[in-house]
């Protein structure tokens, strides 16, 4: 089993920044893909960024150029840096670790962008 814990959410004004963290623990597979997803109010969960095991990333068009991702393998943690935040970025953000039949989700962290 793998546990994923997100943190770093909060309330920020439009144009502000937040950094989300996703810390993994437990029986972490040697190879895995990761992703950050979000679920906006009244919407389906959507992909924010996919990080392949090889390291290449694929951002949603809506966040391209504003969000970046980094990882600290020693801490088994992935960070999502969110800049130039907009009200439409308000959502619960989830991280996900998956490979083959393995599929783990964190509990989510709330991000609210409001003046």
């Amino acid at each position: 089993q793998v546990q994923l814990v997100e943190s770093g959410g909060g309330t920020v004004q439009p144009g502000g920044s937040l950094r989300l963290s996703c810390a993994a623990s437990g029986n972490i597979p040697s190879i895995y893909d990761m992703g950050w997803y979000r679920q906006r109010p009244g919407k389906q969960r959507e992909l924010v960024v996919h990080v392949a095991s090889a390291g290449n990333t694929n951002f949603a068009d809506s966040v391209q150029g504003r969000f970046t991702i980094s990882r600290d393998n020693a801490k088994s943690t992935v960070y999502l840096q969110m800049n130039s935040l907009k009200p439409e970025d308000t959502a619960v953000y989830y991280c996900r670790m998956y490979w083959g039949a393995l599929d783990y989700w964190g509990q989510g962290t709330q991000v609210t962008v409001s003046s």
Side-chain angles (χ1 to χ4, degrees), residues 8-61:
T11 300
V12 64
Q13 292 186 342
S17 299
L18 283 174
R19 189 178 78 157
L20 305 184
S21 301
C22 174
S25 63
N27 191 18
I28 301 171
S30 57
I31 300 174
Y32 55 88
D33 290 355
M34 288 202 74
W36 280 98
Y37 293 72
R38 67 185 181 187
Q39 187 161 16
R40 294 183 278 184
K43 303 288 187 180
Q44 289 189 334
R45 194 172 296 187
E46 60 183 0
L47 176 68
V48 175
V49 58
H50 169 253
V51 186
S53 58
N56 45 303
T57 59
N58 183 28
F59 287 89
D61 289 343

Side-chain angles (χ1 to χ4, degrees), residues 53-90:
S53 58
N56 45 303
T57 59
N58 183 28
F59 287 89
D61 289 343
S62 59
V63 305
Q64 183 74 45
R66 299 189 296 123
F67 291 11
T68 58
I69 195 160
S70 61
R71 60 197 297 171
D72 183 335
N73 290 330
K75 296 182 178 180
S76 298
T77 299
V78 175
Y79 303 98
L80 182 66
Q81 179 67 43
M82 306 186 297
N83 299 326
S84 302
L85 283 162
K86 305 175 181 180
E88 52 263 42
D89 294 317
T90 294

Side-chain angles (χ1 to χ4, degrees), residues 92-110:
V92 179
Y93 285 72
Y94 300 88
C95 69
R96 179 190 183 195
M97 177 186 287
Y98 51 104
W99 189 261
L102 302 176
D103 194 355
Y104 303 103
W105 291 83
Q107 82 289 348
T109 185
Q110 175 70 47

